[in-house]
């Protein structure tokens, strides 16, 4: 089944403790992206990647890092999480940056992160 | 600044009623997409509209792209409890990303 898989689904952590949220897709998509979803603010893009070793900042990149060493994986790293990073996070992929017009994004099921 | 404004923000209706959700912008988009997000899941693409004035139907759902490509609407006929969810519009402005609206949360009661 074509899908985007995120892990973990739920995570509670303490301020300052480094964490990684994994994202993997099995569709050979070039484009991958991370979003956070907060009430009243909608989906905001954190980082995106147009292909292996190519990443760029989205609208809210502060406090986050990403890497794209392989086409299928796009982990989100929080080096020193803070309470304002408590949110629902989604990974998404698309065949390519231009094919998002036709195919849209395939989203993972989300990771609910709480930082205390 | 929110480029895509959705209205209403919340909508609670009875099964069988009709409803319309709006997605508006002061900017022109080359295409608009509509997604539905159910609780505990990620958004799922419903439709893409690319031509000004375009109308697409998906069973009881009718999507329209404004003539000037600045707005879109989603009309649901005879809503059912299975239509419950968060409806998101997303626009493409020939940049490296889709811009998402703030969403309309729909609750359909039996």
């Amino acid at each position: 089944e074509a899908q985007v898989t995120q892990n973990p689904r739920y995570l509670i952590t303490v301020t300052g403790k480094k964490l990684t949220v994994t994202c993997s897709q099995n569709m050979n998509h070039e484009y991958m992206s991370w979003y956070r979803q907060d009430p009243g603010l909608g989906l905001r893009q954190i980082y995106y990647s147009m292909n292996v070793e190519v990443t760029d900042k989205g609208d809210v990149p502060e406090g986050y890092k990403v890497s794209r060493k392989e086409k299928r994986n796009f982990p989100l790293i929080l080096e020193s999480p803070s309470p304002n990073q408590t949110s629902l996070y989604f990974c998404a992929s698309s065949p390519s940056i231009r094919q998002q017009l036709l195919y849209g994004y395939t989203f993972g099921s989300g990771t609910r992160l709480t930082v205390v | 600044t929110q480029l895509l404004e959705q209205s209403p923000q919340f909508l609670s209706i009875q099964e069988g009623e009709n409803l319309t959700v709006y997605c508006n912008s002061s900017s022109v988009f080359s295409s608009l997409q509509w997604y539905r997000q159910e609780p505990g899941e990620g958004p799922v693409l419903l439709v893409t509209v690319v031509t000004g004035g375009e109308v697409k139907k998906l069973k009881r759902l009718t999507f329209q792209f404004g003539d000037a490509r600045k707005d879109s609407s989603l009309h649901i006929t005879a809503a059912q409890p299975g239509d419950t969810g968060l409806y998101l519009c997303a626009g493409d402005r020939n940049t490296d990303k889709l811009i998402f609206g703030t969403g309309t949360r729909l609750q359909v009661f039996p």
Side-chain angles (χ1 to χ4, degrees):
Chain A
E1 180 189 352
Q3 60 186 358
V4 175
T5 303
Q6 290 180 232
N7 280 297
R9 288 294 305 270
Y10 302 92
L11 180 59
I12 301 175
T13 190
V14 296
T15 299
K17 186 177 180 181
K18 181 179 177 179
L19 67 92
T20 299
V21 183
T22 63
C23 173
S24 180
Q25 50 92 5
N26 62 359
M27 297 166 281
N28 200 37
H29 283 176
E30 290 183 352
Y31 184 87
M32 298 185 74
S33 182
W34 276 102
Y35 286 85
R36 60 179 289 174
Q37 187 175 40
D38 301 288
L41 297 176
L43 281 164
R44 294 181 293 168
Q45 191 180 48
I46 303 170
Y47 268 94
Y48 64 97
S49 169
M50 289 200 271
N51 214 324
V52 176
E53 301 291 2
V54 181
T55 63
D56 212 340
K57 296 178 180 179
D59 298 316
V60 288
E62 294 77 21
Y64 305 95
K65 284 174 58 177
V66 292
S67 68
R68 188 91 181 273
K69 294 185 172 63
E70 307 163 281
K71 199 171 189 178
R72 64 184 293 126
N73 296 322
F74 190 44
L76 179 69
I77 303 157
L78 284 72
E79 293 271 5
S80 183
S82 62
N84 65 11
Q85 292 178 298
T86 292
S87 186
L88 180 58
Y89 291 86
F90 287 101
C91 181
S93 74
S94 179
S96 69
I97 185 67
R98 295 318 306 159
Q99 286 182 299
Q100 70 184 5
L101 296 178
L102 290 174
Y103 300 104
Y105 290 168
T106 301
F107 283 85
S109 297
T111 295
R112 186 166 291 283
L113 172 66
T114 302
V115 183
V116 298
Chain B
T1 303
Q2 184 64 37
L3 284 180
L4 278 171
E5 298 284 348
Q6 289 188 242
S7 62
Q9 195 173 353
F10 301 97
L11 194 53
S12 184
I13 61 172
Q14 291 293 129
E15 182 176 3
E17 291 185 31
N18 301 331
L19 67 112
T20 302
V21 174
Y22 299 94
C23 174
N24 295 304
S25 175
S26 57
S27 304
V28 175
F29 288 88
S30 57
S31 69
L32 264 173
Q33 297 179 338
W34 284 92
Y35 292 78
R36 178 168 64 213
Q37 182 179 5
E38 298 183 13
E41 297 298 328
V44 174
L45 179 68
L46 296 173
V47 77
T48 301
V49 285
V50 297
T51 306
E54 181 177 4
V55 176
K56 279 192 174 178
K57 294 195 175 191
L58 189 66
K59 297 183 181 178
R60 293 176 294 100
L61 278 61
T62 301
F63 304 86
Q64 184 161 8
F65 200 11
D67 291 339
R69 307 211 312 277
K70 292 183 179 180
D71 56 85
S72 181
S73 64
L74 158 59
H75 182 78
I76 301 179
T77 303
Q80 299 177 0
D83 296 326
T84 293
L86 177 68
Y87 287 82
L88 296 162
C89 63
D92 172 54
R93 297 187 67 206
N94 290 322
T95 63
D96 292 340
K97 62 183 181 183
L98 288 177
I99 298 168
F100 283 86
T102 50
T104 293
R105 192 166 294 281
L106 172 65
Q107 177 81 51
V108 182
F109 292 98

